[in-house]
Amino acid sequence: MTGTRVSPPDAASRDEPAVSTTDAEGLLLRLTAQLDGGTSGRGAQVLSLLTRRIADYRATPVVTFKVRVAGKVRNIGLKLEGVSPWRSVKGRTAISLVASVTPRIGDGARLVESTSGNLGVAMAELASDLGLPFTAVVDDKLPAAMRRRLRGAGAEVVVADGDGDDGLARRLETVRRICSADPAAIWTDQYENPFNPLVHELWTGPEILAQAPDAQALFIGVSTGGTLGGVSRAVRALRPGLKVVGVDVEGSRALGGRAGPRILTGIGAGRPARHLDGAAYDASEVVSSWSGARQCREWRGLTGLGLGGSSGAVLAAALRHLAAHPKLTRVLCLCPDLAENYADTIYDDDWAREQGLVAGAASPALR
Ligand SMILES: Cc1ncc(COP(=O)(O)O)c(C=O)c1O
C-alpha cells in the first residue's frame, strides 16, 4: 500500500455537506408519494419527526486509500455508513420502512422487525424517538454488542431459537406468530417491502454519485438486496456507465449460491435476495466469510481503520476484482458499518483463533 493517509472518520465527515431541511422534506415527499392511502393523526406526527431525523443526516464520508494491486496503484474509496446517526447504512432503511407503514400507525401500534443487528438498532433508536414500542426478532448469531445496543435503546428482544442453520426462516416464523397474536403489531418487512430499495435509489445512490464523480466501479454487499437494488437503480438512471458489483459470501443464497456455514452477520442470507433482478449488477464476487473477517483485521493493522464484517468482505471482493481488471483504477466500496459491533467477534483474538483466522499476514493483494 502506498501514500496512505488515514483520516479519522469523524474529522473527514466535517467537510461533507449536511442534507438541508428542504432536501429532507423533498426526500420524504418522494418516499410518501409511493404510499397506498393517506396518513393522518399519529402517522402524520411520525412523518414529521422522520423529516427531522433525515435533516440530522450529513452525507457519510468517503475515505480514499491508494493500494497497490497486481503491481498497479488503485484508488479505493470507502464510504463509511457507520459515520451516521444510528451508525450503519440501515438508518436510512429504517426511516423508509417506518415511513411506509405510517398509514397503519394508530394508538397502541407496535413495530416488529426481523434483524441480523443493524436494522434492529436503527429501528429501536428511531422507534424510541417516535414513542413507539419496537420488537426485534433476532437469532443466536447476533453479536453481544448489538444485543446490548438493542436493549439499551428500549427494544424488546425476542430470540428465535431452534434447530438448523436457517436463522432467517426461524426469525420470520417468529415474526408471523407475534403479528397474528397482536393486531396492533406492524411488521415493516425489510425483505419484501419496496421502501427498502426505494430509499437507496432516492438517497444513498445519488449521494454516492455526487461524492464519486469519476469512480469506475462500485462494490456493494448483499443481504436483503435493498441497498444494492436501490443504489443500482440510481446508477442505471443517472450514470449508466458505472459498473456495479454485487458482493456475497460463500454459504449464502442471497445471490443464488448454495447454503453453507458462514461466520459474518449482516452480509448473506438463507434465501435469494428479493429486491434484486438480473439487471441490478454487472458482475458479482463471492468471497468466503473467513476472508472477509481476516480482511477486517488486516486492514485495521495496516491503516488503523476498523471496518465492520460485511465491509471487510466487500473490500476483499474489490481487491480480488481489481487484481483481475487492471484497467480499473478508481473504485468505491460501500461500507455498511464500523468495527464497534464486532469487538466480541472479528476483533477478539480468541474468537479469531477459534475461527482459524491467521493474524498478522498481509493478503497478497496488499503487498
Ligand atoms: C453490516 C451489514 N452489511 C450489509 C448489509 C446488507 O444490506 P441489505 O440488506 O440492504 O442487502 C446489512 C444489512 O443488514 C448489514 O447490517
Side-chain angles (χ1 to χ4, degrees):
M1 214 164 56
T2 56
T4 304
R5 192 181 157 271
V6 186
S7 319
D10 283 335
S13 69
R14 254 181 259 128
D15 298 331
E16 300 293 344
V19 176
S20 74
T21 307
T22 320
D23 286 339
E25 279 164 5
L27 175 60
L28 205 76
L29 277 175
R30 294 183 69 198
L31 285 171
T32 51
Q34 307 296 319
L35 284 176
D36 279 339
T39 298
S40 59
R42 187 79 184 93
Q45 283 170 357
V46 167
L47 279 181
S48 111
L49 274 164
L50 290 179
T51 316
R52 282 196 242 150
R53 293 292 81 88
I54 297 170
D56 289 343
Y57 257 82
R58 302 167 74 84
T60 55
V62 174
V63 184
T64 301
F65 296 84
K66 289 191 185 301
V67 183
R68 186 173 290 278
V69 183
K72 197 167 167 187
V73 175
R74 325 291 179 102
N75 293 288
I76 302 181
L78 302 182
K79 182 165 170 65
L80 303 178
E81 286 292 303
V83 186
S84 60
W86 298 300
R87 310 208 291 273
S88 82
V89 70
K90 289 288 186 171
R92 305 179 198 250
T93 316
I95 287 171
S96 188
L97 293 177
V98 173
S100 78
V101 297
T102 47
R104 294 165 56 201
I105 294 180
D107 291 335
R110 165 161 72 122
L111 303 178
V112 183
E113 185 56 282
S114 150
T115 173
S116 63
N118 277 324
L119 180 65
V121 168
M123 292 275 296
E125 297 190 10
L126 183 55
S128 137
D129 272 6
L130 300 170
L132 291 169
F134 170 61
T135 301
V137 179
V138 303
D139 58 48
D140 46 15
K141 276 199 203 148
L142 185 79
M146 280 183 165
R147 192 173 300 204
R148 284 193 293 274
R149 284 184 66 193
L150 280 172
R151 294 224 161 94
E156 178 194 22
V157 179
V158 175
V159 182
D161 44 20
D163 296 332
D165 280 340
D166 193 353
L168 175 57
R170 286 201 302 274
R171 281 191 264 137
L172 294 182
E173 200 188 298
T174 305
V175 167
R176 289 195 187 98
R177 216 172 34 240
I178 291 171
C179 291
S180 61
D182 178 0
I186 301 173
W187 179 23
T188 41
D189 194 0
Q190 60 165 328
Y191 308 98
E192 305 269 355
N193 188 335
F195 277 64
N196 175 355
L198 181 64
V199 75
H200 300 293
E201 176 183 0
L202 298 178
W203 191 8
T204 323
E207 186 176 301
I208 289 172
L209 295 177
Q211 288 175 307
D214 58 357
Q216 299 161 300
L218 192 55
F219 293 83
I220 300 179
V222 177
S223 179
T224 67
T227 318
L228 174 61
V231 169
S232 95
R233 287 210 294 251
V235 169
R236 301 297 185 228
L238 302 170
R239 199 176 308 150
L242 175 58
K243 181 177 192 179
V244 179
V245 184
V247 178
D248 200 0
V249 288
E250 290 167 9
S252 159
R253 299 184 60 220
L255 286 187
R258 267 216 308 252
R262 49 199 160 91
I263 56 166
L264 296 179
T265 54
I267 189 166
R271 67 179 197 190
R274 304 269 164 98
H275 295 303
L276 302 177
D277 57 31
Y281 48 94
D282 301 294
S284 62
E285 288 284 351
V286 179
V287 298
S288 89
S289 50
W290 282 264
S291 72
R294 193 176 297 122
Q295 188 69 64
C296 286
R297 293 171 63 88
E298 288 175 5
W299 191 256
R300 190 175 67 168
L302 288 162
T303 69
L305 177 60
L307 297 170
S310 66
S311 311
V314 169
L315 183 55
L319 291 168
R320 190 167 80 187
H321 197 84
L322 287 170
H325 295 84
K327 289 197 178 133
L328 290 180
T329 53
R330 294 177 309 281
V331 302
L332 189 92
C333 296
L334 190 82
C335 295
D337 64 0
L338 293 170
E340 60 182 334
N341 291 326
Y342 309 93
D344 305 317
T345 53
I346 296 169
Y347 293 98
D348 179 76
D349 290 342
D350 292 335
W351 183 91
R353 256 189 301 277
E354 276 161 30
Q355 299 301 331
L357 302 176
V358 182
S363 69
L366 282 172
R367 280 196 192 123

